[in-house]
Amino acid sequence: MKSLVSFITNLAKWISFSMLIVMVPLVTYFSISRSLGYPVIGDIEIVQFSMVVLIMGSLAYTEAAGAHISIGVIADRFPAKAQLALDFLAQVLTILFCFIVCWAFIVKINFDQTSDLLNLSFVPFKVFLVICFIGWALEAAMKFIRNVGDYNASSKSK
């Protein structure tokens, strides 16, 4: 199971990183051409789709690296058990949120929907989004299982 989650995370991560490498020169070119009076048709749509791939592809990796934004101004003042309970609650809510998003995109998928200007189909992007949210949920579940195991091990040693 761990290798499957790792595969999904790494695949999405490398697609996201590759998109970033492609986006930098594209946005530079789009900006220069627009400032010279020769805008590229569809440049905004291309950047929007690229941002979807970039952001969604990095969700599972960010969870695996523990790099999501967390604000501990209040929670850090709580006792250790309360902080642990909040961490468990956050992980469960993350897993639940990811599966609700996946379910909503799968149920509401429209195979005929395309972008306005370039007529790009939304389906590949929605499928990628579902895969990325499943990867994020699985990474959160792995972290939850690891934390429960750590908690059980620490409570038995006391």
Side-chain angles (χ1 to χ4, degrees), residues 86-102:
L86 288 174
D87 286 344
F88 285 152
L89 178 64
Q91 290 166 346
V92 168
L93 290 175
T94 299
I95 295 165
L96 184 63
F97 171 75
C98 289
F99 283 116
I100 288 172
V101 168
C102 290

Side-chain angles (χ1 to χ4, degrees), residues 36-90:
L36 294 176
Y38 301 102
V40 176
I41 303 295
D43 59 347
I44 294 173
E45 279 188 7
I46 292 170
V47 172
Q48 289 172 338
F49 282 119
S50 301
M51 287 300 293
V52 168
V53 172
L54 176 68
I55 293 168
M56 294 303 124
S58 63
L59 291 174
Y61 172 71
T62 306
E63 182 69 35
H68 281 291
I69 297 171
S70 64
I71 301 171
V73 174
I74 298 172
D76 288 347
R77 299 175 196 266
F78 289 161
K81 286 190 177 190
Q83 290 180 17
L84 187 63
L86 288 174
D87 286 344
F88 285 152
L89 178 64

Side-chain angles (χ1 to χ4, degrees), residues 42 58 66 113 148:
S58 63
Q113 191 175 14
V148 168

Side-chain angles (χ1 to χ4, degrees), residues 23 46 48 64 129 154:
M23 274 184 65
I46 292 170
Q48 289 172 338
L129 186 137
S154 69

Side-chain angles (χ1 to χ4, degrees), residues 15 66 69 135 150:
I15 290 172
I69 297 171
D150 292 346

